[in-house]
Amino acid sequence: MLNVRELRALASRLTEYYFCDQIGPFVLVQKPPRPVVEQMAMRMGAQSTMVATGTSLEAMQLAVVLRFDELVVATLPPLRSQDELTVGRMPSCDLVINDPSVSKEHARLCWHGQSDSCTVVDLGSMNGTQLNGHPLEPHTAYYLEDGNLVRFGDADFAYLTSVSLWDRLRG
């Protein structure tokens, strides 16, 4: 796990290709607690009285998230062309989330390298998984898109492709 500041420094030193090679095809950026996000959004709003039309809530939240240099970014183990990663509280999971609202084995992320896409599947967790605020049906695969907000229990993450992260960190 790295933080946004470390990734920003890495993105400034590496080309897009090498940056993406180092961190893998995608990352999950853990969002700070809601009151912190709301305070930052208020400060950002005070700096600009005009909000771009067509800007989604998810895009605004993502912009707020990437301003926190200390935020944890989950980079995942090297992925093959088809790979499954478990998300949960157990140390045996590929992405361990130390939060009591997250089940031992909460969800599964499936990387589909041939199509450069990722799906998320809730494994019947107690507190559920959400995608952009919508609850997921257990044991059903949902495709993730760059910038989506994924919630495992009460733990919020932004899903970003490594190319998108590189662009945002350099921009």
Side-chain angles (χ1 to χ4, degrees), residues 97-169:
I97 303 174
N98 190 15
D99 184 301
S101 69
V102 175
S103 296
K104 292 178 184 177
E105 287 193 354
H106 195 98
R108 182 175 54 245
L109 296 169
C110 301
W111 175 250
H112 311 279
Q114 291 181 344
S115 60
D116 283 341
S117 62
C118 186
T119 55
V120 61
V121 176
D122 182 84
L123 298 176
S125 63
M126 180 67 74
N127 294 311
T129 303
Q130 294 182 17
L131 179 57
N132 294 327
H134 302 287
L136 304 185
E137 290 292 322
H139 309 290
T140 302
Y142 294 83
Y143 278 92
L144 295 173
E145 294 180 14
D146 187 61
N148 279 163
L149 301 177
V150 183
R151 174 178 260 205
F152 306 105
D154 291 333
D156 293 317
F157 291 85
Y159 169 87
L160 293 173
T161 64
S162 55
V163 171
S164 173
L165 178 63
W166 187 82
D167 286 342
R168 292 169 193 266
L169 292 173

